[in-house]
Amino acid sequence: GENVEQHPSTLSVQEGDSAVIKCTYSDSASNYFPWYKQELGKGPQLIIDIRSNVGEKKDQRIAVTLNKTAKHFSLHITETQPEDSAVYFCAASMAAGNKLTFGGGTRVLVKP
Amino acid sequence: SAVISQKPSRDICQRGTSLTIQCQVDSQVTMMFWYRQQPGQSLTLIATANQGSEATYESGFVIDKFPISRPNLTFSTLTVSNMSPEDSSIYLCSVGRQGNLQEQYFGPGTRLTVT
């Protein structure tokens, strides 16, 4: 089955700096890659996603890039703010209606 | 995105008992999923709950331990049976977005502690 690895497990950045989280997946059949943000005591929130026919997608301060050949994708957060502090999860899915396989998560701390 | 609620939000249970978790969505959805998130860990899919058919369980999860109901397109339940302390986790339901089933949205979770 699919295996998703996520790095780093923890990331501490100064407010205003950028944060980058990287994920690799094992199955080339995966075609959908969402990112979730989970704040303490809450369920994961979908913040951005990318499909295999696109190389990059942006939404304000967050962007995701995908390299299908290398089977890795990354989340970029620019101009980080304290409210960006949370645990971020990447995931991969192979087909419509299919399950999401999650990475191990990255705990991001933005220091004011 | 759909509004998803779960009940209870948290519970403390004795070992050997069972707890049923409810998931309610404010619109009809085809696909519903149940995940487990052990303390400080990532999310693991327990099963896919489909209306009108039996749930599909992932490796390592069995129906006797985690029975699931899906009586209609807006509601599902997950029961954690014969609980042990190892079942202490956050249990999350998610729904697939209609028309784009790969997108999934999560409920707030149920925090279960088994003593």
Side-chain angles (χ1 to χ4, degrees):
Chain A
E2 175 67 283
N3 182 51
V4 179
E5 294 191 357
Q6 183 171 346
H7 299 280
S9 57
T10 60
L11 180 60
S12 182
V13 298
Q14 206 66 37
E15 182 178 358
D17 288 350
S18 295
V20 181
I21 305 170
K22 298 182 179 181
C23 289
T24 60
Y25 60 99
S26 61
D27 197 320
S28 56
S30 289
N31 61 359
Y32 175 68
F33 308 93
W35 286 88
Y36 289 87
K37 175 183 180 182
Q38 187 175 30
E39 297 177 72
L40 192 63
K42 297 184 178 180
Q45 175 192 4
L46 178 65
I47 57 172
I48 195 168
D49 56 14
I50 192 167
R51 302 182 190 279
S52 58
N53 59 347
V54 175
E56 183 176 359
K57 184 176 178 181
K58 283 185 178 181
D59 184 2
Q60 299 183 346
R61 295 188 297 109
I62 59 173
V64 58
T65 59
L66 171 65
N67 183 326
K68 285 181 60 179
T69 303
K71 289 190 284 189
H72 68 71
F73 56 111
S74 300
L75 177 71
H76 305 253
I77 307 174
T78 59
E79 301 174 14
T80 53
Q81 301 169 3
E83 52 264 38
D84 294 328
S85 296
V87 179
Y88 291 81
F89 292 98
C90 64
S93 171
M94 279 184 238
N98 209 335
K99 67 175 184 178
L100 291 174
T101 301
F102 282 84
T106 298
R107 185 173 301 277
V108 174
L109 175 63
V110 179
K111 296 179 287 186
Chain B
S1 62
V3 176
I4 307 165
S5 60
Q6 286 185 235
K7 289 182 181 179
S9 59
R10 60 178 65 240
D11 207 341
I12 301 173
C13 300
Q14 299 277 349
R15 70 169 65 213
T17 62
S18 298
L19 176 72
T20 295
I21 302 167
Q22 299 178 5
C23 180
Q24 180 75 54
V25 190
D26 69 343
S27 58
Q28 293 186 339
V29 294
T30 303
M31 304 293 285
M32 294 182 78
F33 305 87
W34 286 98
Y35 289 82
R36 181 175 73 181
Q37 186 175 28
Q38 294 179 301
Q41 302 298 313
S42 186
L43 289 82
T44 301
L45 181 66
I46 297 172
T48 302
N50 303 308
Q51 196 271 336
S53 62
E54 284 192 6
T56 304
Y57 289 83
E58 296 299 306
S59 176
F61 298 96
V62 296
I63 188 171
D64 289 347
K65 176 68 175 177
F66 298 101
I68 288 171
S69 77
R70 181 81 193 274
N72 56 52
L73 291 175
T74 64
F75 186 78
S76 179
T77 67
L78 168 75
T79 298
V80 186
S81 303
N82 189 23
M83 290 183 285
S84 67
E86 293 70 36
D87 294 319
S88 297
S89 293
I90 300 171
Y91 292 87
L92 296 145
C93 71
S94 73
V95 303
R97 179 180 174 184
Q98 289 300 95
N100 186 342
L101 298 182
Q102 286 188 290
E103 289 186 23
Q104 286 188 33
Y105 299 94
F106 284 82
T110 294
R111 284 146 189 81
L112 171 62
T113 301
V114 183
T115 61

